[in-house]
Amino acid sequence: MPLHTTAAAFGQEQLQAAAAASEKVRLSFASPAPGREQLLEGALLNRYLELIGSTLQRPFGCGKIAGIKRLGDPRLPAFEVVIEVVTFGEAFGQPPYGLVSLTVRDRPDLVSLTGIEKQRNLSEDEYKNRCRWFVR
């Protein structure tokens, strides 16, 4: 049958069956849309990418905001943010995997690193769980 076959020639039932099958396949592979909190966390992590990269000077990913608190006067926008990232070996996604915690002070006029601590090494299973969006 040629690719340019019309819906009438193909048959309405077959067309509907193909559309339904296509929808099932699309839904089974689609990831859920990120919620508001996930989007805000992603935007905040983007703000710190350059700082994290220049501090670690090695491949990293799978970032997560582990904590955030307001500093000082509640009318002034100053925060302390604790970020956890996974570091990799020589290439992104390659072992050894390390869990690193960075503490950042964030004010409108200055973003500065106030602490860095290697939490621990991660096992392959811990890495896969923490970075499941990346691991196939």
Side-chain angles (χ1 to χ4, degrees):
M1 201 180 299
L3 291 176
H4 62 274
T5 304
T6 65
F10 188 63
Q12 193 64 25
E13 285 181 32
Q14 290 89 350
L15 188 59
Q16 288 174 342
S22 172
E23 185 66 22
K24 285 179 186 174
V25 169
R26 190 170 356 139
L27 290 176
S28 67
F29 291 109
S31 59
R36 177 176 160 76
E37 189 170 316
Q38 289 172 311
L39 291 171
L40 289 170
E41 182 175 30
L44 194 53
L45 287 170
N46 278 349
R47 177 170 168 81
Y48 305 126
L49 282 180
E50 186 176 327
L51 176 68
I52 296 168
S54 65
T55 300
L56 297 177
Q57 296 185 358
R58 63 181 305 158
F60 70 92
C62 310
K64 174 182 171 184
I65 302 296
I68 186 168
K69 67 180 180 180
R70 183 179 296 273
L71 299 175
D73 187 340
R75 295 171 293 174
L76 299 174
F79 300 90
E80 181 179 86
V81 182
V82 178
I83 305 162
E84 290 181 349
V85 296
V86 175
T87 59
F88 303 106
E90 294 298 314
F92 189 81
Q94 298 299 311
Y97 310 112
L99 182 62
V100 177
S101 177
L102 299 107
T103 304
V104 175
R105 179 162 291 158
D106 191 339
R107 300 184 334 210
D109 61 335
L110 179 67
V111 174
S112 60
L113 181 71
T114 60
I116 181 170
E117 179 182 350
K118 180 171 182 184
Q119 299 290 328
R120 60 191 168 86
N121 289 323
L122 297 176
S123 70
E124 183 81 20
D125 288 339
E126 288 174 309
Y127 159 69
K128 287 179 180 177
N129 185 44
R130 185 173 276 272
C131 301
R132 66 183 160 268
W133 59 269
F134 174 70
V135 179
R136 295 176 199 210

